[in-house]
């Protein structure tokens, strides 16, 4: 594990691989950490550097009370600069996608492409914002069990929960292992995040969208609508996968990203 402190906060990350391909930065979902990319990094790092970052408040990174998506994008930027990555593909799943969009808004000249998985450009509705605030109170009272109670059932496809796939318990354990202070800051940050729809229509970088056909948190139709807004978008739909599509359909997810990256290298 490496770390950088240039934003005044210790941000942990890993660098995998090497080679001449355009670098890839991967940003995890809520409430996970960079280890959620373990199924992807080995394969993708064969031809390029792949950097998996722990957002503030998660994994090996320090926590700050400000969990705004913009601050998280600045932390990612500190890693990109520390590693002299230059223009990179910025990839994120769900909350990681919100941070990737914030990164694009702040540093458009240094984005060679985007991978946006199981995410959405819009800000929270009033109801969603209220839900986040209620969840913050519940986390203060009950810790990470409150997040499991509210969100665990939406992380995978209904079929996964009905099976004895060890991934189900693995996801629950990962959620329980997150830190309440980091989770509270991120919930508050997501609740106030801005709308990035205008950004996606205006900034034409090659974009890979990955959706799970069984995502109950960010429905597939929402991702299809998002694809229609982006000029240079390719939508890959992972049949049967739920919200954490990179964990539920790891091979197909990795292949989609590898194909997209190969197209950019050419
Ligand atoms: C995530 O998977 O990162 C979060 O569920 C996103 C969200 O709550 O909006």
């Amino acid at each position: 594990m490496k770390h950088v402190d240039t934003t005044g906060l210790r941000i942990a990350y890993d660098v995998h691989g090497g080679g001449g391909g355009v670098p890839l930065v991967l940003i995890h979902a809520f409430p996970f950490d960079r280890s959620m990319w373990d199924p992807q990094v080995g394969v993708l790092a064969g031809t390029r550097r792949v950097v998996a970052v722990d957002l503030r408040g998660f994994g090996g990174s320090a926590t700050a009370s400000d969990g705004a998506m913009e601050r998280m994008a600045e932390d990612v930027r500190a890693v990109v600069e520390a590693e002299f990555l230059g223009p990179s593909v910025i990839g994120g799943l769900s909350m990681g996608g919100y941070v990737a969009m914030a990164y694009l808004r702040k540093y458009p000249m240094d984005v060679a492409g985007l991978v946006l998985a199981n995410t959405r450009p819009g800000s929270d509705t009033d109801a969603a914002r209220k839900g986040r605030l209620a969840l913050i109170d519940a986390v203060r009272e009950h810790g990470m069990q409150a997040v499991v109670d509210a969100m665990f059932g939406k992380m995978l496809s209904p079929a996964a929960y009905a099976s004895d796939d060890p991934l189900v318990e693995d996801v629950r354990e990962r959620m329980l292992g997150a830190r309440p202070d980091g989770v509270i800051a991120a919930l508050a940050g997501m609740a106030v995040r801005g709308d990035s729809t205008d950004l996606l229509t205006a900034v034409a970088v090659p974009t890979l969208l990955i959706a799970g056909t069984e995502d109950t948190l960010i429905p597939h139709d929402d991702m299809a609508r998002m694809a229609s807004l982006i000029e240079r978008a390719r939508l890959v739909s992972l049949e049967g996968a739920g919200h954490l599509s990179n964990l539920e359909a790891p091979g197909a997810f990795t292949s989609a990203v590898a194909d997209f990256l190969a197209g950019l290298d050419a």
Side-chain angles (χ1 to χ4, degrees):
M1 181 180 86
K2 301 179 83 170
H3 72 269
V4 64
D5 303 285
T6 48
T7 53
L9 202 71
R10 183 187 166 98
I11 297 298
Y13 62 98
D14 289 320
V15 183
H16 304 264
V22 59
L24 172 67
V25 179
L26 291 171
I27 311 173
H28 60 82
F30 172 93
F32 300 93
D33 61 37
R34 71 188 193 286
S35 68
M36 76 168 246
W37 298 113
D38 286 355
Q40 275 73 48
V41 289
V43 178
L44 297 175
T47 45
R48 71 197 68 251
R49 278 177 294 167
V50 178
V51 177
V53 181
D54 276 339
L55 294 173
R56 50 175 62 199
F58 297 92
S61 290
T63 302
S65 53
D66 186 352
M69 302 298 104
E70 291 75 17
R71 298 294 86 69
M72 293 185 178
E74 287 160 10
D75 296 338
V76 172
R77 179 67 180 177
V79 173
V80 168
E81 287 183 346
E83 293 297 323
F84 301 101
L85 293 184
S88 305
V89 172
I90 308 296
L93 192 145
S94 202
M95 180 177 76
Y98 308 157
V99 177
M101 288 181 258
Y103 190 97
L104 176 66
R105 192 179 289 283
K106 289 182 86 81
Y107 314 108
M109 301 312 289
D110 252 358
V111 178
L114 286 173
V115 177
L116 299 174
N118 306 82
T119 193
R120 53 162 67 99
S123 47
D124 273 5
T125 60
D126 285 346
R129 204 168 294 128
K130 275 196 191 119
R132 302 245 196 234
L133 300 182
L135 187 51
I136 287 173
D137 287 343
V139 174
R140 286 206 175 100
E141 205 169 326
H142 305 292
M144 284 308 298
Q145 186 59 47
V147 178
V148 170
D149 292 346
M151 297 179 72
F152 171 63
K154 298 177 187 158
M155 289 292 150
L156 299 170
S157 66
Y161 293 111
S163 74
D164 56 6
D165 187 338
L167 177 61
V168 176
E169 273 320 298
D170 178 50
V171 166
R172 188 203 304 272
E173 290 304 317
R174 285 169 186 260
M175 294 178 83
L176 284 171
R179 299 202 303 275
D181 54 355
V183 159
I184 287 169
L187 284 168
M190 286 194 284
V192 298
R193 75 184 189 282
D195 193 310
S196 295
T197 311
D198 62 327
L199 175 77
L200 293 180
T201 51
V203 183
V205 297
T207 302
L208 171 65
L209 298 174
I210 303 181
T213 60
E214 304 305 317
D215 188 341
T216 54
L217 196 64
I218 301 205
H220 181 269
D221 283 357
D222 288 7
M223 295 285 306
R225 209 167 305 121
M226 184 171 165
S228 71
L229 297 174
I230 304 174
E231 204 184 313
R232 297 168 71 188
R234 182 195 303 173
L235 172 66
V236 172
S237 304
L238 300 182
E239 199 57 46
H243 186 59
L244 297 176
S245 63
N246 78 303
L247 294 178
E248 210 174 339
F253 189 104
T254 308
S255 299
V257 178
D259 286 353
F260 175 69
L261 293 170
L264 294 183
D265 291 341

